[in-house]
């Protein structure tokens, strides 16, 4: 738990420091906005967009995203595990409240720097500003392409962050990933189903072995993901979004309706998941027809340029 706190501090401090570096590099919020307006990318400056917007329609942000957020923050294993490990109910509530306020920081730490990365690319492409930097030339970033645009924030880290901060951020990300993988397999699979009477030392070694094995599998799987051009991630997210409504419904009804019991919750989860996966199958069956009805989309997502 203490390592998680340390990693969170590193993320917050590194993210805010990265925001300051990015703003200094682009010349402030005003210069960022002017660059995007010159490039015809005013939509990057607005959260609320028209309902017919291809990338982020308002209906999707305030309906689908809300459901997915309820699922992640109320049912996700990592979040639930941290809440259940609290010393008391008061501590659990205080931790949730503190997390809510901390959740206000990612737009500043990640979204704004990602937008700045696009502004730096557009400025280099229009004016040649930054083209003289052979190692960090933004003109080669290709952030106008859908697949490359997903790497805007990593591009900013590699090109603009000091070497020490780059290593610190990458180390924190790897440690956070290893911590999550270890706890999921060790606690929820090995200790619960395979070895309920396992000692702390045995669980420690199990977590280390599981983490190492998962890292090896992930490295072996990287060529497959690179060939997918982002489709594998989109498939996983699409399937998850069809299951999320059932989970969010059970959580919200359990909070607001006292008559909901465990059997009703299980029936709701089962039926909702089946119906969600059925809807996902229909979407896959008519995927090309749906994409043909949306102008300017590709398999990898909307055209950004």
């Amino acid at each position: 738990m203490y390592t998680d706190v340390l990693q969170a501090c590193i993320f917050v401090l590194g993210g805010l420091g990265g925001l300051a570096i990015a703003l200094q590099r682009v010349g402030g919020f005003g210069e960022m906005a002017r660059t995007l307006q010159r490039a015809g990318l005013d939509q990057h400056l607005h959260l609320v967009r028209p309902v017919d917007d291809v990338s982020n329609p308002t209906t999707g942000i305030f309906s689908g995203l809300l459901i997915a957020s309820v699922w992640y923050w109320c049912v996700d294993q990592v979040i639930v595990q941290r809440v259940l490990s609290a010393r008391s109910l008061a501590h659990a509530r205080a931790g949730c409240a503190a997390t809510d306020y901390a959740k206000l920081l990612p737009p500043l730490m990640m979204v704004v720097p990602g937008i700045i990365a696009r502004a730096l690319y557009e400025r280099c492409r229009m004016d040649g500003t930054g083209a003289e930097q052979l190692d960090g030339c933004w003109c080669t970033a290709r952030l106008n392409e859908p697949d490359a645009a997903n790497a805007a924030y990593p591009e900013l880290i590699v090109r603009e962050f000091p070497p020490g901060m780059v290593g610190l951020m990458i180390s924190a990300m790897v440690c956070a990933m290893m911590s999550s993988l270890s706890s999921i397999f060790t606690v929820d699979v090995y200790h619960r189903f395979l070895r309920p009477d396992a000692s702390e030392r045995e669980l420690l070694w199990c977590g280390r072995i599981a983490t190492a094995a998962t890292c090896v599998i992930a490295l072996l799987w990287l060529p497959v993901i690179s060939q997918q051009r982002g489709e594998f991630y989109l498939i996983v997210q699409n399937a998850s979004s069809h299951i999320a409504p059932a989970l969010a419904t059970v959580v919200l009804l359990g909070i607001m309706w006292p008559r909901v019991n465990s059997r009703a919750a299980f029936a709701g989860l089962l039926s909702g998941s089946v119906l969600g996966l059925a809807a996902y199958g229909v979407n896959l069956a008519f995927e090309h027809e749906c994409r043909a009805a949306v102008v300017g989309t590709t398999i990898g997502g909307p055209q950004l340029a």
Side-chain angles (χ1 to χ4, degrees), residues 27-217:
F29 280 103
E31 184 61 29
M32 177 192 72
R34 284 189 290 270
T35 301
L36 293 175
Q37 289 171 354
R38 288 173 53 205
L41 299 173
D42 301 59
Q43 69 273 15
H44 284 63
L45 303 174
H46 302 283
L47 176 62
V48 179
R49 302 185 184 181
V51 295
D52 58 349
D53 186 85
V54 175
S55 303
N56 298 293
T58 302
T59 52
I61 292 178
F62 291 100
S63 59
L65 187 59
L66 179 62
I67 295 174
S69 297
V70 171
W71 169 37
Y72 178 80
W73 287 104
C74 301
V75 186
D76 184 81
Q77 179 267 343
V78 176
I79 306 298
V80 174
Q81 185 183 74
R82 300 304 189 266
V83 173
L84 294 179
S85 65
R87 181 176 302 175
S88 64
L89 181 60
H91 281 77
R93 290 174 174 172
C96 292
T99 305
D100 292 338
Y101 285 108
K103 189 60 178 176
L104 299 174
L105 295 176
L108 293 175
M109 297 189 304
M110 301 183 67
V111 177
V112 173
I115 297 175
I116 291 176
R118 182 62 186 271
L120 291 172
Y121 166 75
E122 295 296 338
R123 188 169 66 180
C124 182
R125 190 172 66 163
M126 293 185 298
D127 304 335
T129 304
E132 68 279 359
Q133 301 176 4
L134 299 180
D135 295 333
C137 177
W138 278 100
C139 295
T140 61
R142 301 182 298 108
L143 295 184
N144 60 322
E145 300 179 9
D147 295 331
N150 294 328
Y153 187 68
E155 287 279 359
L156 183 70
I157 292 178
V158 173
R159 295 173 184 269
E160 301 295 342
F161 283 24
M165 183 178 291
V166 173
L168 189 64
M169 295 289 288
I170 293 177
S171 300
M173 292 178 185
V174 173
C175 290
M177 178 192 69
M178 294 175 64
S179 176
S180 299
L181 294 174
S182 174
S183 62
I184 289 174
F185 179 80
T186 304
V187 177
D188 294 334
V189 178
Y190 187 81
H191 186 50
R192 182 176 181 182
F193 297 107
L194 302 179
R195 292 275 295 176
D197 56 343
S199 63
E200 291 292 332
R201 182 179 179 83
E202 183 178 348
L203 293 176
L204 178 62
W205 276 104
C206 176
R208 291 174 176 174
I209 295 174
T211 301
T214 307
C215 291
V216 172
I217 294 174

